[in-house]
Amino acid sequence: MGNNDILGTHAEALTLFGERVHAVREDQWEAPTPCTEWSVFDLVNHLTSEQLWVPRLVRDGATIASVDGDFDGDQLGEDPVGAWDGAAAAAKAAFAEPDALHRSVHLSYGTTPADAYCTQMTADAVVHTWDLSRAIGADERLPDRLVGAALREVEPYAEVLAGTGLFAEPVEPPRGADELTRLLCLLGRRP
């Protein structure tokens, strides 16, 4: 994908996740999600924290060590929706800065091109949009363009992800499964 496509897909994924965040009812924040260790609050907090990292890593050139836990713990406070909105806007702005996607970022597993980091963040937002949708009873269907982009991103290293302990073991998709089902099964979800 070209840079405009990468940015557009990333923005679309964050917007979609944000729509689900705005749909969370007050009584749903402690509801379980397909991420077995996380409630809805924990899931939204995770994605919010990830977005907060983007300006520091992409714009400022920070390293994981220099940020040193700044985004650990509760990033949502008393206004989870507002916290998400602010973090998402900051991430979009940082990736959209001139030449931002041509930079390198320093991640936990090494130095990575910023455009690759952006596509990883997009895939994560897409999968977690499904998680959040399931948790709050929202429409679990996702746009084909986003699902295709996430699947293309994740397929080459899905086996490595399973070994990190951050994802459940892959699930065998049913014969003839669509791309969303294949993506979810690859990341240990049971659609």
Side-chain angles (χ1 to χ4, degrees), residues 10-90:
H10 176 257
E12 187 179 347
L14 293 189
T15 297
L16 187 63
F17 186 81
E19 289 170 0
R20 298 308 193 272
V21 172
H22 281 261
V24 176
R25 294 187 322 260
E26 201 56 43
D27 64 339
Q28 292 180 313
W29 287 103
E30 293 306 316
T33 71
C35 304
T36 56
E37 303 297 316
W38 287 344
S39 66
V40 167
F41 184 91
D42 297 330
L43 176 63
V44 174
N45 189 64
H46 165 71
L47 259 290
T48 300
S49 176
E50 282 196 338
Q51 305 322 304
L52 292 171
W53 278 93
V54 174
R56 297 286 297 277
L57 296 175
V58 174
R59 185 191 61 223
D60 303 340
T63 64
I64 300 293
S66 69
V67 175
D68 190 35
D70 288 356
F71 305 121
D72 290 349
D74 180 359
Q75 299 300 313
L76 301 180
E78 295 299 316
D79 182 13
V81 174
W84 162 259
D85 288 343

Side-chain angles (χ1 to χ4, degrees), residues 1-10 95 99-102 114-115 118:
M1 286 194 293
N3 286 349
N4 288 338
D5 288 336
I6 291 170
L7 292 173
T9 304
H10 176 257
F95 276 128
D99 296 320
L101 294 184
H102 297 292
D115 60 347
C118 189

Side-chain angles (χ1 to χ4, degrees), residues 102-144:
H102 297 292
R103 299 176 190 153
S104 293
V105 294
H106 307 286
L107 304 176
S108 60
Y109 54 85
T111 301
T112 302
D115 60 347
Y117 175 48
C118 189
T119 60
Q120 291 166 15
M121 294 287 284
T122 299
D124 199 50
V126 170
V127 171
H128 286 316
T129 297
W130 181 85
D131 293 332
L132 185 54
S133 298
R134 174 147 292 185
I136 66 171
D139 187 356
E140 294 177 13
R141 293 173 296 167
L142 304 176
D144 291 343

